[in-house]
Amino acid sequence: MTANHSKVLIIGSGPAGYTAAIYAARAALAPMVIEGMQPGGQLTITTDVENWPGDASVMGPDLMMRMAEHATNVGVLRVSDMIVEVDLSRRPFLAVGDSGTHYTGDTMVIATGASARWLGLPSETAYRGAGVSACATCDGFFYKGSVVAVVGGGNTAVEEALYLTNFAEKVYLVHRRDTLRADRTNQARLAANPKIEPIWNAEVAEVLGNGGVVTGIAIRNTRSGEMSNRDVAGLFVAIGHDPATALFKGQIHLDDEGYIRIASGSTGTSVAGVFAAGDVQDKVFRQAITSAGMGCMAALEAERYIADLNARTTASSVTVEGNSLA
Ligand code: NDP
């Protein structure tokens, strides 16, 4: 058995991955977590988390740092690598890192999460990092005294808009409908904030710039088709997420939207011994706490799977002994 083999190989380091790791470590399964490109996952690019039980308010990056430290303290081996290939048809399961390293696991927990969705405009791509961002926490600071826009109508968009008012002079919230998807608390906060101006029934048709940085957005009214421009220095795209499942396509059952399909009431996937937890399989709840809960389930199910494997191995060796005696 090589140094890169573990009984529980966990891919991804959001709340699902770290919780699975902590539970597996405490079950003496010496798990390994491959942390990926963004250790800590999506919560590292959020601001205040106000619904994590026990913490009335905690910054996303702080929460994830504490989870990582907790994992280390209970003996989890954390590896900084990005998995670029997996083979779930062989045993043990194989995952190959960007570094070229091969990792194997008797079980695998997929907790690769989801990533930000973009509008898909060439001008958006051209100005990414030069005024176009999907992370207000990361980039909001650069827009002190400026006018910025946020696209989207969900909790993320509203929270980003609210957060940006800490820096910007004015924040447009561009939403394609006239009803927000965000919850009532966020809607009330939005309505009470004089710095935010919602632009209803509108989509961003183009990101405008001077070749170096963003200078504005062209907006199309979704009902009338009428076009108008707004001068903004930054555009924050907050229109949802896509599950990070490209690696697993063709090897495990995915649904129409690319989320990993799991058995009801379980984290078990279409491959025995492979479990999926968090946003990679959940498009309904998508909360840190539900992801953590699924990570816990995945570790407990992996533990049971390993115990069953061991029981079968022991039983078959008894049979072999019996056969040889006969
Ligand atoms: P959501 O899927 O909830 O919202 C995405 C928003 O973007 C929708 O308003 C949608 O419009 C809009 N949108 C989607 N595609 C496009 C497009 N191509 N062009 C323009 N607009 C588009 O994603 P969120 O990231 O906001 O939230 C994800 C989940 O996380 C949700 O369950 C949310 O409740 C949760 N969350 C909870 C938080 C909290 O509790 N504090 C904080 C942040 C997120 P439309 O409405 O028309 O579909």
Side-chain angles (χ1 to χ4, degrees):
M1 208 158 284
T2 69
N4 293 317
H5 178 82
S6 53
K7 288 182 181 157
V8 184
L9 178 60
I10 299 163
I11 306 179
S13 59
Y18 283 141
T19 305
I22 290 164
Y23 270 78
R26 289 182 42 75
L29 294 173
M32 184 185 286
V33 177
I34 313 298
E35 294 191 318
M37 265 199 304
Q38 190 183 13
Q42 291 178 77
L43 274 184
T44 58
I45 56 165
T46 57
T47 49
D48 287 332
V49 177
E50 295 180 2
N51 48 17
W52 184 257
D55 281 314
S57 177
V58 58
M59 296 296 281
D62 290 348
L63 181 59
M64 294 321 299
M65 201 186 303
R66 279 164 36 196
M67 285 192 204
E69 281 168 9
H70 187 168
T72 301
N73 291 342
V74 293
V76 173
L77 184 59
R78 292 168 47 207
V79 178
S80 175
D81 204 349
M82 178 74 190
I83 300 302
V84 291
E85 191 186 328
V86 295
D87 186 347
L88 305 183
S89 66
R90 46 159 282 172
R91 302 290 186 279
F93 302 115
L94 172 71
V96 182
D98 196 18
S99 63
T101 309
H102 285 208
Y103 305 94
T104 53
D106 294 330
T107 62
M108 185 183 281
V109 175
I110 302 173
T112 47
S115 60
R117 208 177 275 159
W118 297 93
L119 296 168
L121 302 168
S123 52
E124 172 194 48
T125 312
Y127 286 105
R128 221 186 272 176
V132 174
S133 167
C135 176
T137 318
C138 319
D139 302 327
F141 184 78
F142 300 115
Y143 297 93
K144 268 188 177 160
S146 308
V147 179
V148 298
V150 176
V151 193
N155 276 320
T156 304
V158 173
E159 289 187 2
E160 297 231 322
L162 290 166
Y163 178 72
L164 286 165
T165 61
N166 292 324
F167 310 100
E169 181 188 297
K170 182 180 180 118
V171 180
Y172 292 111
L173 183 76
V174 183
H175 182 36
R176 62 185 179 184
R177 296 185 295 129
D178 59 3
T179 318
L180 290 170
R181 194 177 284 278
D183 62 33
R184 282 175 184 216
T185 310
N186 273 331
Q187 291 196 32
R189 285 179 184 162
L190 178 90
N193 194 311
K195 282 188 166 181
I196 302 177
E197 182 186 326
I199 306 178
W200 304 116
N201 302 313
E203 59 190 14
V204 174
E206 208 63 71
V207 180
L208 310 172
N210 59 12
V213 293
V214 169
T215 56
I217 46 174
I219 292 169
R220 182 186 300 112
N221 185 294
T222 52
R223 291 189 173 165
S224 64
E226 189 188 323
M227 297 290 300
S228 62
N229 289 356
R230 296 290 187 288
D231 292 337
V232 300
L235 175 68
F236 290 84
V237 180
I239 59 168
H241 297 83
D242 290 313
T245 50
L247 266 181
F248 309 100
K249 218 173 179 176
Q251 301 200 49
I252 203 165
H253 289 178
L254 306 178
D255 71 11
D256 293 345
E257 292 169 74
Y259 288 84
I260 295 178
R261 293 183 62 179
I262 41 133
S264 172
S266 158
T267 59
T269 68
S270 57
V271 179
V274 176
F275 305 90
D279 287 10
V280 76
Q281 54 103 316
D282 167 35
K283 60 186 159 193
V284 178
F285 301 105
R286 298 188 285 196
Q287 299 298 301
I289 190 72
T290 49
S291 292
M294 286 179 251
C296 161
M297 287 169 67
L300 296 178
E301 290 187 288
E303 186 185 349
R304 258 176 240 145
Y305 180 85
I306 290 165
D308 283 352
L309 270 187
N310 290 342
R312 275 203 293 275
T313 311
T314 311
S316 71
S317 66
V318 168
T319 310
V320 170
E321 278 175 31
N323 283 344
S324 64
L325 279 174

PDB file of all heavy atoms in Angstrom, residues 33-63:
ATOM      1  N   VAL A  33      -7.810  14.356   2.616  1.00  0.00           N
ATOM      2  CA  VAL A  33      -8.625  15.331   1.885  1.00  0.00           C
ATOM      3  C   VAL A  33      -7.770  15.994   0.817  1.00  0.00           C
ATOM      4  O   VAL A  33      -6.728  16.564   1.129  1.00  0.00           O
ATOM      5  CB  VAL A  33      -9.162  16.448   2.810  1.00  0.00           C
ATOM      6  CG1 VAL A  33      -9.942  17.485   2.008  1.00  0.00           C
ATOM      7  CG2 VAL A  33     -10.057  15.878   3.875  1.00  0.00           C
ATOM      8  N   ILE A  34      -8.210  15.928  -0.419  1.00  0.00           N
ATOM      9  CA  ILE A  34      -7.532  16.662  -1.482  1.00  0.00           C
ATOM     10  C   ILE A  34      -8.287  17.983  -1.598  1.00  0.00           C
ATOM     11  O   ILE A  34      -9.472  18.019  -1.940  1.00  0.00           O
ATOM     12  CB  ILE A  34      -7.571  15.881  -2.824  1.00  0.00           C
ATOM     13  CG1 ILE A  34      -7.184  14.408  -2.623  1.00  0.00           C
ATOM     14  CG2 ILE A  34      -6.665  16.565  -3.844  1.00  0.00           C
ATOM     15  CD1 ILE A  34      -5.793  14.150  -2.120  1.00  0.00           C
ATOM     16  N   GLU A  35      -7.602  19.072  -1.287  1.00  0.00           N
ATOM     17  CA  GLU A  35      -8.309  20.330  -1.022  1.00  0.00           C
ATOM     18  C   GLU A  35      -8.712  21.124  -2.261  1.00  0.00           C
ATOM     19  O   GLU A  35      -9.553  22.009  -2.174  1.00  0.00           O
ATOM     20  CB  GLU A  35      -7.477  21.204  -0.079  1.00  0.00           C
ATOM     21  CG  GLU A  35      -7.351  20.556   1.306  1.00  0.00           C
ATOM     22  CD  GLU A  35      -6.769  21.489   2.339  1.00  0.00           C
ATOM     23  OE1 GLU A  35      -5.808  22.202   2.014  1.00  0.00           O
ATOM     24  OE2 GLU A  35      -7.282  21.491   3.467  1.00  0.00           O
ATOM     25  N   GLY A  36      -8.099  20.858  -3.411  1.00  0.00           N
ATOM     26  CA  GLY A  36      -8.505  21.555  -4.629  1.00  0.00           C
ATOM     27  C   GLY A  36      -7.943  22.954  -4.731  1.00  0.00           C
ATOM     28  O   GLY A  36      -7.116  23.381  -3.915  1.00  0.00           O
ATOM     29  N   MET A  37      -8.436  23.673  -5.759  1.00  0.00           N
ATOM     30  CA  MET A  37      -7.880  24.986  -6.072  1.00  0.00           C
ATOM     31  C   MET A  37      -8.275  26.073  -5.093  1.00  0.00           C
ATOM     32  O   MET A  37      -7.607  27.078  -4.959  1.00  0.00           O
ATOM     33  CB  MET A  37      -8.333  25.397  -7.469  1.00  0.00           C
ATOM     34  CG  MET A  37      -7.328  25.042  -8.513  1.00  0.00           C
ATOM     35  SD  MET A  37      -7.520  25.947 -10.031  1.00  0.00           S
ATOM     36  CE  MET A  37      -9.163  25.653 -10.547  1.00  0.00           C
ATOM     37  N   GLN A  38      -9.442  25.867  -4.439  1.00  0.00           N
ATOM     38  CA  GLN A  38      -9.941  26.913  -3.548  1.00  0.00           C
ATOM     39  C   GLN A  38     -10.216  26.276  -2.181  1.00  0.00           C
ATOM     40  O   GLN A  38     -11.369  26.000  -1.845  1.00  0.00           O
ATOM     41  CB  GLN A  38     -11.231  27.484  -4.141  1.00  0.00           C
ATOM     42  CG  GLN A  38     -11.740  28.715  -3.475  1.00  0.00           C
ATOM     43  CD  GLN A  38     -13.060  29.172  -4.096  1.00  0.00           C
ATOM     44  OE1 GLN A  38     -13.725  28.472  -4.848  1.00  0.00           O
ATOM     45  NE2 GLN A  38     -13.469  30.360  -3.754  1.00  0.00           N
ATOM     46  N   PRO A  39      -9.147  26.009  -1.394  1.00  0.00           N
ATOM     47  CA  PRO A  39      -9.362  25.347  -0.102  1.00  0.00           C
ATOM     48  C   PRO A  39     -10.416  26.091   0.717  1.00  0.00           C
ATOM     49  O   PRO A  39     -10.376  27.311   0.808  1.00  0.00           O
ATOM     50  CB  PRO A  39      -7.991  25.416   0.578  1.00  0.00           C
ATOM     51  CG  PRO A  39      -7.020  25.562  -0.545  1.00  0.00           C
ATOM     52  CD  PRO A  39      -7.737  26.347  -1.612  1.00  0.00           C
ATOM     53  N   GLY A  40     -11.364  25.343   1.241  1.00  0.00           N
ATOM     54  CA  GLY A  40     -12.448  25.975   1.997  1.00  0.00           C
ATOM     55  C   GLY A  40     -13.696  26.175   1.163  1.00  0.00           C
ATOM     56  O   GLY A  40     -14.774  26.390   1.699  1.00  0.00           O
ATOM     57  N   GLY A  41     -13.544  26.136  -0.151  1.00  0.00           N
ATOM     58  CA  GLY A  41     -14.709  26.196  -1.033  1.00  0.00           C
ATOM     59  C   GLY A  41     -15.403  27.542  -1.074  1.00  0.00           C
ATOM     60  O   GLY A  41     -14.795  28.586  -0.797  1.00  0.00           O
ATOM     61  N   GLN A  42     -16.684  27.482  -1.427  1.00  0.00           N
ATOM     62  CA  GLN A  42     -17.444  28.718  -1.687  1.00  0.00           C
ATOM     63  C   GLN A  42     -17.528  29.662  -0.492  1.00  0.00           C
ATOM     64  O   GLN A  42     -17.632  30.872  -0.665  1.00  0.00           O
ATOM     65  CB  GLN A  42     -18.871  28.368  -2.089  1.00  0.00           C
ATOM     66  CG  GLN A  42     -19.000  27.709  -3.442  1.00  0.00           C
ATOM     67  CD  GLN A  42     -20.451  27.363  -3.702  1.00  0.00           C
ATOM     68  OE1 GLN A  42     -21.241  28.217  -4.030  1.00  0.00           O
ATOM     69  NE2 GLN A  42     -20.793  26.103  -3.543  1.00  0.00           N
ATOM     70  N   LEU A  43     -17.497  29.108   0.723  1.00  0.00           N
ATOM     71  CA  LEU A  43     -17.636  29.993   1.892  1.00  0.00           C
ATOM     72  C   LEU A  43     -16.435  30.922   2.055  1.00  0.00           C
ATOM     73  O   LEU A  43     -16.522  31.918   2.769  1.00  0.00           O
ATOM     74  CB  LEU A  43     -17.839  29.176   3.170  1.00  0.00           C
ATOM     75  CG  LEU A  43     -19.277  28.786   3.486  1.00  0.00           C
ATOM     76  CD1 LEU A  43     -19.344  28.061   4.823  1.00  0.00           C
ATOM     77  CD2 LEU A  43     -20.187  30.008   3.538  1.00  0.00           C
ATOM     78  N   THR A  44     -15.349  30.608   1.381  1.00  0.00           N
ATOM     79  CA  THR A  44     -14.194  31.501   1.479  1.00  0.00           C
ATOM     80  C   THR A  44     -14.428  32.771   0.669  1.00  0.00           C
ATOM     81  O   THR A  44     -13.668  33.725   0.786  1.00  0.00           O
ATOM     82  CB  THR A  44     -12.895  30.814   0.992  1.00  0.00           C
ATOM     83  OG1 THR A  44     -13.090  30.399  -0.352  1.00  0.00           O
ATOM     84  CG2 THR A  44     -12.544  29.631   1.851  1.00  0.00           C
ATOM     85  N   ILE A  45     -15.463  32.766  -0.174  1.00  0.00           N
ATOM     86  CA  ILE A  45     -15.757  33.998  -0.915  1.00  0.00           C
ATOM     87  C   ILE A  45     -17.122  34.570  -0.529  1.00  0.00           C
ATOM     88  O   ILE A  45     -17.781  35.226  -1.317  1.00  0.00           O
ATOM     89  CB  ILE A  45     -15.641  33.813  -2.450  1.00  0.00           C
ATOM     90  CG1 ILE A  45     -16.539  32.683  -2.943  1.00  0.00           C
ATOM     91  CG2 ILE A  45     -14.208  33.569  -2.860  1.00  0.00           C
ATOM     92  CD1 ILE A  45     -16.755  32.692  -4.448  1.00  0.00           C
ATOM     93  N   THR A  46     -17.541  34.275   0.696  1.00  0.00           N
ATOM     94  CA  THR A  46     -18.774  34.898   1.196  1.00  0.00           C
ATOM     95  C   THR A  46     -18.417  35.799   2.374  1.00  0.00           C
ATOM     96  O   THR A  46     -17.304  35.727   2.891  1.00  0.00           O
ATOM     97  CB  THR A  46     -19.810  33.868   1.690  1.00  0.00           C
ATOM     98  OG1 THR A  46     -19.187  33.090   2.692  1.00  0.00           O
ATOM     99  CG2 THR A  46     -20.309  32.987   0.578  1.00  0.00           C
ATOM    100  N   THR A  47     -19.358  36.603   2.772  1.00  0.00           N
ATOM    101  CA  THR A  47     -19.085  37.492   3.913  1.00  0.00           C
ATOM    102  C   THR A  47     -19.630  36.862   5.192  1.00  0.00           C
ATOM    103  O   THR A  47     -19.239  35.759   5.537  1.00  0.00           O
ATOM    104  CB  THR A  47     -19.713  38.879   3.667  1.00  0.00           C
ATOM    105  OG1 THR A  47     -21.057  38.687   3.253  1.00  0.00           O
ATOM    106  CG2 THR A  47     -18.947  39.622   2.610  1.00  0.00           C
ATOM    107  N   ASP A  48     -20.507  37.582   5.862  1.00  0.00           N
ATOM    108  CA  ASP A  48     -21.029  37.087   7.129  1.00  0.00           C
ATOM    109  C   ASP A  48     -21.922  35.880   6.930  1.00  0.00           C
ATOM    110  O   ASP A  48     -22.796  35.876   6.079  1.00  0.00           O
ATOM    111  CB  ASP A  48     -21.883  38.172   7.802  1.00  0.00           C
ATOM    112  CG  ASP A  48     -21.028  39.283   8.354  1.00  0.00           C
ATOM    113  OD1 ASP A  48     -19.863  39.002   8.690  1.00  0.00           O
ATOM    114  OD2 ASP A  48     -21.518  40.413   8.436  1.00  0.00           O
ATOM    115  N   VAL A  49     -21.698  34.875   7.757  1.00  0.00           N
ATOM    116  CA  VAL A  49     -22.622  33.740   7.808  1.00  0.00           C
ATOM    117  C   VAL A  49     -23.371  33.913   9.127  1.00  0.00           C
ATOM    118  O   VAL A  49     -22.752  33.983  10.184  1.00  0.00           O
ATOM    119  CB  VAL A  49     -21.837  32.403   7.800  1.00  0.00           C
ATOM    120  CG1 VAL A  49     -22.789  31.222   7.919  1.00  0.00           C
ATOM    121  CG2 VAL A  49     -20.985  32.303   6.539  1.00  0.00           C
ATOM    122  N   GLU A  50     -24.668  34.033   9.029  1.00  0.00           N
ATOM    123  CA  GLU A  50     -25.439  34.332  10.241  1.00  0.00           C
ATOM    124  C   GLU A  50     -26.386  33.202  10.617  1.00  0.00           C
ATOM    125  O   GLU A  50     -27.303  33.385  11.412  1.00  0.00           O
ATOM    126  CB  GLU A  50     -26.233  35.629  10.039  1.00  0.00           C
ATOM    127  CG  GLU A  50     -25.328  36.829   9.861  1.00  0.00           C
ATOM    128  CD  GLU A  50     -26.096  38.121   9.663  1.00  0.00           C
ATOM    129  OE1 GLU A  50     -27.329  38.110   9.701  1.00  0.00           O
ATOM    130  OE2 GLU A  50     -25.426  39.151   9.457  1.00  0.00           O
ATOM    131  N   ASN A  51     -26.164  32.047   9.963  1.00  0.00           N
ATOM    132  CA  ASN A  51     -27.068  30.932  10.271  1.00  0.00           C
ATOM    133  C   ASN A  51     -26.303  29.654  10.588  1.00  0.00           C
ATOM    134  O   ASN A  51     -26.838  28.563  10.468  1.00  0.00           O
ATOM    135  CB  ASN A  51     -28.044  30.713   9.103  1.00  0.00           C
ATOM    136  CG  ASN A  51     -27.339  30.676   7.760  1.00  0.00           C
ATOM    137  OD1 ASN A  51     -26.126  30.497   7.713  1.00  0.00           O
ATOM    138  ND2 ASN A  51     -28.083  30.841   6.683  1.00  0.00           N
ATOM    139  N   TRP A  52     -25.047  29.816  10.980  1.00  0.00           N
ATOM    140  CA  TRP A  52     -24.270  28.649  11.426  1.00  0.00           C
ATOM    141  C   TRP A  52     -24.525  28.509  12.926  1.00  0.00           C
ATOM    142  O   TRP A  52     -24.157  29.414  13.692  1.00  0.00           O
ATOM    143  CB  TRP A  52     -22.777  28.870  11.139  1.00  0.00           C
ATOM    144  CG  TRP A  52     -21.942  27.677  11.478  1.00  0.00           C
ATOM    145  CD1 TRP A  52     -21.156  27.522  12.580  1.00  0.00           C
ATOM    146  CD2 TRP A  52     -21.832  26.474  10.722  1.00  0.00           C
ATOM    147  NE1 TRP A  52     -20.560  26.289  12.558  1.00  0.00           N
ATOM    148  CE2 TRP A  52     -20.970  25.621  11.426  1.00  0.00           C
ATOM    149  CE3 TRP A  52     -22.401  26.017   9.525  1.00  0.00           C
ATOM    150  CZ2 TRP A  52     -20.648  24.340  10.966  1.00  0.00           C
ATOM    151  CZ3 TRP A  52     -22.076  24.749   9.075  1.00  0.00           C
ATOM    152  CH2 TRP A  52     -21.204  23.934   9.792  1.00  0.00           C
ATOM    153  N   PRO A  53     -25.187  27.419  13.356  1.00  0.00           N
ATOM    154  CA  PRO A  53     -25.586  27.330  14.771  1.00  0.00           C
ATOM    155  C   PRO A  53     -24.401  27.501  15.723  1.00  0.00           C
ATOM    156  O   PRO A  53     -23.347  26.905  15.519  1.00  0.00           O
ATOM    157  CB  PRO A  53     -26.176  25.917  14.871  1.00  0.00           C
ATOM    158  CG  PRO A  53     -26.621  25.599  13.488  1.00  0.00           C
ATOM    159  CD  PRO A  53     -25.620  26.249  12.586  1.00  0.00           C
ATOM    160  N   GLY A  54     -24.620  28.329  16.709  1.00  0.00           N
ATOM    161  CA  GLY A  54     -23.562  28.566  17.692  1.00  0.00           C
ATOM    162  C   GLY A  54     -22.752  29.816  17.397  1.00  0.00           C
ATOM    163  O   GLY A  54     -22.039  30.310  18.266  1.00  0.00           O
ATOM    164  N   ASP A  55     -22.843  30.315  16.175  1.00  0.00           N
ATOM    165  CA  ASP A  55     -22.157  31.550  15.801  1.00  0.00           C
ATOM    166  C   ASP A  55     -23.205  32.526  15.271  1.00  0.00           C
ATOM    167  O   ASP A  55     -23.695  32.339  14.157  1.00  0.00           O
ATOM    168  CB  ASP A  55     -21.142  31.300  14.676  1.00  0.00           C
ATOM    169  CG  ASP A  55     -19.853  30.692  15.178  1.00  0.00           C
ATOM    170  OD1 ASP A  55     -19.333  31.189  16.199  1.00  0.00           O
ATOM    171  OD2 ASP A  55     -19.361  29.736  14.554  1.00  0.00           O
ATOM    172  N   ALA A  56     -23.531  33.543  16.032  1.00  0.00           N
ATOM    173  CA  ALA A  56     -24.538  34.504  15.563  1.00  0.00           C
ATOM    174  C   ALA A  56     -24.068  35.161  14.274  1.00  0.00           C
ATOM    175  O   ALA A  56     -24.858  35.448  13.384  1.00  0.00           O
ATOM    176  CB  ALA A  56     -24.794  35.550  16.632  1.00  0.00           C
ATOM    177  N   SER A  57     -22.768  35.372  14.181  1.00  0.00           N
ATOM    178  CA  SER A  57     -22.202  35.938  12.959  1.00  0.00           C
ATOM    179  C   SER A  57     -20.749  35.507  12.863  1.00  0.00           C
ATOM    180  O   SER A  57     -19.979  35.664  13.806  1.00  0.00           O
ATOM    181  CB  SER A  57     -22.300  37.466  13.001  1.00  0.00           C
ATOM    182  OG  SER A  57     -21.690  37.986  11.847  1.00  0.00           O
ATOM    183  N   VAL A  58     -20.410  34.919  11.732  1.00  0.00           N
ATOM    184  CA  VAL A  58     -19.027  34.490  11.528  1.00  0.00           C
ATOM    185  C   VAL A  58     -18.690  34.737  10.065  1.00  0.00           C
ATOM    186  O   VAL A  58     -19.536  34.583   9.187  1.00  0.00           O
ATOM    187  CB  VAL A  58     -18.837  33.001  11.937  1.00  0.00           C
ATOM    188  CG1 VAL A  58     -19.764  32.079  11.168  1.00  0.00           C
ATOM    189  CG2 VAL A  58     -17.396  32.536  11.773  1.00  0.00           C
ATOM    190  N   MET A  59     -17.452  35.152   9.821  1.00  0.00           N
ATOM    191  CA  MET A  59     -17.037  35.360   8.431  1.00  0.00           C
ATOM    192  C   MET A  59     -16.799  33.997   7.787  1.00  0.00           C
ATOM    193  O   MET A  59     -16.179  33.111   8.409  1.00  0.00           O
ATOM    194  CB  MET A  59     -15.743  36.178   8.376  1.00  0.00           C
ATOM    195  CG  MET A  59     -15.866  37.589   8.923  1.00  0.00           C
ATOM    196  SD  MET A  59     -16.988  38.606   7.948  1.00  0.00           S
ATOM    197  CE  MET A  59     -15.921  39.021   6.569  1.00  0.00           C
ATOM    198  N   GLY A  60     -17.245  33.843   6.544  1.00  0.00           N
ATOM    199  CA  GLY A  60     -17.082  32.571   5.843  1.00  0.00           C
ATOM    200  C   GLY A  60     -15.646  32.041   5.865  1.00  0.00           C
ATOM    201  O   GLY A  60     -15.410  30.885   6.242  1.00  0.00           O
ATOM    202  N   PRO A  61     -14.653  32.888   5.496  1.00  0.00           N
ATOM    203  CA  PRO A  61     -13.271  32.398   5.489  1.00  0.00           C
ATOM    204  C   PRO A  61     -12.808  31.938   6.875  1.00  0.00           C
ATOM    205  O   PRO A  61     -12.068  30.958   6.991  1.00  0.00           O
ATOM    206  CB  PRO A  61     -12.458  33.619   5.023  1.00  0.00           C
ATOM    207  CG  PRO A  61     -13.441  34.437   4.242  1.00  0.00           C
ATOM    208  CD  PRO A  61     -14.762  34.239   4.918  1.00  0.00           C
ATOM    209  N   ASP A  62     -13.258  32.640   7.944  1.00  0.00           N
ATOM    210  CA  ASP A  62     -12.867  32.240   9.307  1.00  0.00           C
ATOM    211  C   ASP A  62     -13.452  30.883   9.656  1.00  0.00           C
ATOM    212  O   ASP A  62     -12.786  30.021  10.239  1.00  0.00           O
ATOM    213  CB  ASP A  62     -13.368  33.262  10.342  1.00  0.00           C
ATOM    214  CG  ASP A  62     -12.618  34.574  10.240  1.00  0.00           C
ATOM    215  OD1 ASP A  62     -11.585  34.602   9.550  1.00  0.00           O
ATOM    216  OD2 ASP A  62     -13.086  35.561  10.838  1.00  0.00           O
ATOM    217  N   LEU A  63     -14.719  30.698   9.279  1.00  0.00           N
ATOM    218  CA  LEU A  63     -15.392  29.426   9.574  1.00  0.00           C
ATOM    219  C   LEU A  63     -14.643  28.282   8.891  1.00  0.00           C
ATOM    220  O   LEU A  63     -14.381  27.239   9.494  1.00  0.00           O
ATOM    221  CB  LEU A  63     -16.845  29.496   9.098  1.00  0.00           C
ATOM    222  CG  LEU A  63     -17.704  28.260   9.355  1.00  0.00           C
ATOM    223  CD1 LEU A  63     -17.795  27.928  10.838  1.00  0.00           C
ATOM    224  CD2 LEU A  63     -19.112  28.459   8.777  1.00  0.00           C
TER     225      LEU A  63
END
